[in-house]
Amino acid sequence: GNKTRLHTLQKLSQERPVSELTDELGITRSGLQKNIERLIQSELVYRPQEEDSKTYALTPLGDRYVELLEQDSDQALTVLNQLNKQLQDLEEEQSETRETLEEAGVDLTEYEQKLKEQAWKNIWAEAEQEL
């Protein structure tokens, strides 16, 4: 559900050199690497081991995912925008809680995951209809 990651996946499916992607996506090399690592963890991208091969390639699952994205790109972007709006609303509602946790020095990773989970729950029915 990350626009940069989705665009990275699509660019990799076009066999674009990684060196060109940072400028096209408007992110740093380390930002691109983090997104690619997440795609690898999701089993959508892998590192070929052949000597003359490109740095990254899509798995069959990654290829299928890109096909689905291209077929339903408008709907997928609509759902992603709904998710982001819902997440923003939840973050605004929970801003005091976040500030309290930050002041206490608590790692916010789990808190952010809970917010994202709640955002998905809140838009689930709309997302299913859209897709």
Side-chain angles (χ1 to χ4, degrees):
N2 178 298
K3 285 183 184 180
T4 302
R5 208 165 294 130
L6 293 175
H7 288 295
T8 301
L9 185 63
Q10 287 178 312
K11 298 290 183 189
L12 290 173
S13 76
Q14 299 164 359
E15 299 186 10
R16 305 293 300 276
V18 175
S19 59
E20 293 178 6
L21 298 184
T22 54
D23 290 337
E24 288 183 35
L25 298 170
I27 58 175
T28 63
R29 177 81 175 155
S30 64
L32 176 63
Q33 188 61 40
K34 287 178 185 176
N35 282 294
I36 291 174
E37 289 300 322
R38 292 294 299 267
L39 293 169
I40 290 170
Q41 291 170 356
S42 300
E43 304 294 340
L44 299 173
V45 172
Y46 72 103
R47 292 182 186 99
Q49 299 300 315
E50 298 87 41
E51 234 177 83
D52 293 331
S53 66
K54 50 194 176 272
T55 309
Y56 300 100
L58 269 59
T59 65
L61 182 60
D63 280 332
R64 180 66 180 135
Y65 195 76
V66 168
E67 285 177 28
L68 292 171
L69 283 174
E70 289 172 354
Q71 289 173 8
D72 298 324
S73 62
D74 292 338
Q75 294 89 343
L77 288 174
T78 297
V79 168
L80 187 56
N81 288 333
Q82 289 172 342
L83 174 67
N84 289 332
K85 171 73 171 106
Q86 184 59 221
L87 191 55
Q88 183 180 20
D89 291 348
L90 289 171
E91 287 171 346
E92 288 174 11
E93 290 173 14
Q94 299 295 324
S95 63
E96 287 182 30
T97 302
R98 182 183 190 90
E99 288 174 19
T100 302
L101 292 172
E102 285 176 336
E103 289 172 3
V106 173
D107 180 10
L108 298 176
T109 305
E110 187 175 333
Y111 170 79
E112 291 168 352
Q113 289 172 343
K114 293 279 186 194
L115 280 180
K116 191 169 270 193
E117 178 184 353
Q118 186 60 49
W120 272 117
K121 286 179 181 179
N122 291 351
I123 69 157
W124 195 267
E126 290 177 60
E128 282 187 319
Q129 286 179 333
E130 188 68 39
L131 296 173

